[in-house]
Amino acid sequence: MNVFRILGDLSHLLAMFLLLVKIWRSKSCAGISGKSQILFALVFTTRYLDLFSNFISIYNTVMKVVFLLCAYVTVYMIYWKFRKTFDIENDTFRLEFLLVPVIGLSFLVNYSYTPTEVLWTFSIYLESVAILPQLFMISKTGEAETITTHYLFFLGLYRALYLANWIWRYQTENFYDQISVVSGVVQTIFYCDFFYLYVTKVLKGKKLSLP
Amino acid sequence: KNAISTHDEL
């Protein structure tokens, strides 16, 4: 465990927490892509299948449970509790365009051809693209609430910090995980355009709106 | 060490 990993996990936790705060305080999930949130719930479900079979640490187990809970509560808020406020007309990203290649790739490029390993690989590939329906929705409506941009910033920062963690682990432990690293780089690249807008607009007190 | 299949990250 190194500082980049801890900060990455905390950033991830803060992102999910900010999203729940936004929905709960405004009693609205306007501007949030339900499709992205379903994908994240699927990511955690398929990745943490080892929750009861592979004990790593108390920290690891607790974080997995918290992440799963946050993901499912968010989906519940969007599709049940506050579904009237859900902007379904703008959440039109075609999930099959992500799921078909990701399923195909997880069968083709994995570490071992076992059900849990293929599902773990699927979760890594899916996470790298799971934010696309959300980014697509923002580009379609041309705007995002400020708290939603904070959510996206910390969600992007989390994977960027993991990149630093992987460099650190390679240098100190000679640990590497090429599937995670390549997917993590791809995932971080998807946020670059958003990071630019966040720094140039949101941090200067302006609302994020696209021309 | 190629820590494949240990998956100790979140």
Side-chain angles (χ1 to χ4, degrees):
Chain A
M1 191 71 85
N2 58 66
V3 66
F4 303 111
R5 166 73 198 282
I6 280 280
L7 289 176
D9 288 346
L10 290 178
S11 171
H12 198 179
L13 197 61
L14 179 61
M16 290 190 288
F17 190 63
L18 278 171
L19 184 59
L20 284 172
V21 166
K22 175 231 149 21
I23 296 173
W24 191 251
R25 277 215 186 140
S26 64
K27 305 268 176 261
S28 160
C29 39
I32 302 299
S33 165
K35 289 185 175 178
S36 275
Q37 296 309 314
I38 285 178
L39 293 184
F40 283 123
L42 192 58
V43 162
F44 293 135
T45 309
T46 50
R47 189 174 308 167
Y48 300 158
L49 287 173
D50 65 351
L51 187 59
F52 299 103
S53 61
N54 180 25
F55 180 80
I56 291 153
S57 64
I58 303 244
Y59 170 82
N60 196 279
T61 303
V62 169
M63 291 296 266
K64 282 175 174 172
V65 172
V66 172
F67 283 7
L68 279 166
L69 276 175
C70 282
Y72 278 98
V73 169
T74 307
V75 169
Y76 165 75
M77 297 280 200
I78 296 172
Y79 286 96
W80 280 274
K81 193 158 179 66
F82 299 121
R83 72 176 305 157
K84 282 181 193 139
T85 62
F86 173 37
D87 191 9
I88 201 158
E89 294 79 28
N90 286 316
D91 194 16
T92 51
F93 195 93
R94 299 276 296 270
L95 288 188
E96 58 271 33
F97 292 156
L98 297 181
L99 287 172
V100 171
V102 162
I103 291 169
L105 198 60
S106 53
F107 277 95
L108 286 172
V109 184
N110 57 51
Y111 294 138
S112 126
Y113 213 76
T114 60
T116 48
E117 196 55 33
V118 170
L119 284 168
W120 176 86
T121 313
F122 167 80
S123 84
I124 295 288
Y125 294 150
L126 184 62
E127 185 187 349
S128 68
V129 294
I131 201 60
L132 292 181
Q134 179 66 64
L135 296 176
F136 178 74
M137 193 173 179
I138 291 173
S139 69
K140 198 176 171 194
T141 60
E143 58 177 18
E145 284 173 53
T146 300
I147 190 158
T148 306
T149 66
H150 296 326
Y151 159 73
L152 279 168
F153 173 76
F154 285 105
L155 200 61
L157 181 64
Y158 135 71
R159 221 45 174 171
L161 285 164
Y162 258 68
L163 296 183
N165 156 62
W166 290 322
I167 294 168
W168 182 269
R169 289 191 76 176
Y170 183 70
Q171 298 292 337
T172 56
E173 306 166 40
N174 209 17
F175 167 96
Y176 65 95
D177 177 342
Q178 58 272 54
I179 287 180
S180 295
V181 171
V182 173
S183 311
V185 169
V186 171
Q187 187 171 340
T188 307
I189 288 171
F190 284 133
Y191 286 87
C192 285
D193 185 39
F194 167 79
F195 283 151
Y196 174 77
L197 290 172
Y198 186 81
V199 170
T200 56
K201 288 202 165 179
V202 182
L203 290 184
K204 291 185 177 146
K206 285 181 252 174
K207 190 174 156 63
L208 188 111
S209 56
L210 304 172
Chain B
K1 179 180 64 166
N2 188 341
I4 270 111
S5 299
T6 52
H7 304 324
D8 61 344
E9 292 177 342
L10 289 164

